[in-house]
Amino acid sequence: MVSVRKRKMARSSIKKNTRRVKDKQRNINIHSNPIIAANWDKSLTLQQNYKKLGLTAKLGKSPGGKEQSLSKKRNNKEHITIDQIDDTDDPEKIPEGEAKIIRDEEGNVIKVIYGTMKQKEEESEEEVDNSVVKQLEEYAEKNSKIKKERHQSDRESEFLKNLYEKYGDDYDKMKWDKLNVYQQSAGELKRRIIKWKKSNNI
């Protein structure tokens, strides 16, 4: 028999907590770069998305190996027929992972020759569309020229004005004043007051 508490829980509109958080990791919202956000495919992994964009996710070597396409794997394998294996007793002419079984007239196995021939895998780099990379380079070049100058707030201007009226250009005395609550150094105060003077035409 189910307890009263369990029955209440079943009727409750509050959903139970689940540990399914893996799916949430795929819903990446990219705010930093509009070009990457426009070309990002949520159905692909991070590695696959980077490859599609012409970027690399890691600068070093990947510890877990790479995902290979099945067509590429098939094309790289040398096609050796069963007749060719039957005609040879040399293990270096039999592909690795295969073997030749030699039987007598009665059908009993006399000898098994295991192949040692390594399959030659040609590393052919897939063509990557570099149009996104070019767009990113243009975007970076365009936005790197824009330099936003920091403006002093009214509160900061008032603080600098009080210090200047009290000490003039004596920055060593300024740094020990109780108004300097953030304990800024004499050099830092000097830079700020010069900027404040320039903005107030002093």
Side-chain angles (χ1 to χ4, degrees):
M1 189 176 170
V2 181
S3 67
V4 176
R5 188 167 60 86
K6 290 281 182 187
R7 276 203 300 270
K8 278 184 180 178
M9 280 171 68
R11 287 199 304 269
S12 176
S13 61
I14 300 162
K15 290 180 181 178
K16 283 192 283 184
N17 287 333
T18 60
R19 297 185 71 183
R20 188 160 179 151
V21 290
K22 281 276 179 188
D23 294 342
K24 289 176 185 175
Q25 292 176 10
R26 282 186 176 271
N27 298 328
I28 302 163
N29 291 323
I30 298 154
H31 305 290
S32 59
N33 195 296
I35 297 162
I36 290 174
N39 292 286
W40 195 267
D41 187 356
K42 286 185 179 181
S43 64
L44 301 176
T45 64
L46 184 130
Q47 294 270 1
Q48 289 167 339
N49 266 305
Y50 268 61
K51 194 174 180 182
K52 191 185 88 170
L53 296 170
L55 305 169
T56 179
K58 287 182 182 177
L59 295 174
K61 221 177 182 184
S62 181
K66 281 190 216 169
E67 181 187 6
Q68 285 187 337
S69 64
L70 193 63
S71 59
K72 187 183 169 187
K73 222 171 182 184
R74 279 177 182 157
N75 292 337
N76 287 341
K77 280 199 172 184
E78 289 180 12
H79 296 287
I80 294 163
T81 60
I82 295 165
D83 295 330
Q84 286 174 314
I85 293 169
D86 286 339
D87 293 340
T88 182
D89 290 338
D90 188 3
E92 289 182 6
K93 290 182 181 177
I94 301 166
E96 195 176 33
E98 294 185 27
K100 180 183 176 182
I101 299 168
I102 299 166
R103 300 176 186 270
D104 61 8
E105 291 172 2
E106 293 174 6
N108 299 320
V109 177
I110 302 167
K111 192 179 178 184
V112 178
I113 302 165
Y114 292 99
T116 57
M117 186 177 81
K118 300 270 184 192
Q119 297 292 332
K120 290 177 185 176
E121 289 192 10
E122 294 174 10
E123 290 184 10
S124 59
E125 289 186 13
E126 293 176 23
E127 287 183 17
V128 181
D129 185 22
N130 291 329
S131 61
V132 178
V133 177
K134 284 172 187 172
Q135 284 177 43
L136 287 167
E137 284 171 355
E138 286 167 14
Y139 180 80
E141 197 178 327
K142 185 182 172 185
N143 291 303
S144 62
K145 290 172 184 175
I146 302 162
K147 194 178 180 182
K148 289 181 181 178
E149 196 176 336
R150 196 183 79 80
H151 295 287
Q152 290 173 335
S153 65
D154 295 336
R155 193 173 176 183
E156 189 181 354
S157 297
E158 195 181 335
F159 152 72
L160 294 168
K161 184 187 173 186
N162 292 337
L163 281 175
Y164 183 70
E165 284 174 355
K166 199 171 182 182
Y167 298 105
D169 291 328
D170 195 349
Y171 303 107
D172 287 317
K173 281 185 181 177
M174 275 183 203
K175 74 175 181 181
W176 298 113
D177 195 277
K178 63 180 180 182
L179 287 170
N180 187 17
V181 287
Y182 296 113
Q183 297 179 355
Q184 293 170 18
S185 65
E188 181 66 26
L189 287 166
K190 187 180 178 180
R191 279 195 297 275
R192 285 171 184 262
I193 283 174
I194 288 165
K195 193 176 179 181
W196 173 78
K197 278 182 180 179
K198 197 177 177 183
S199 61
N200 289 286
N201 298 319
I202 297 168

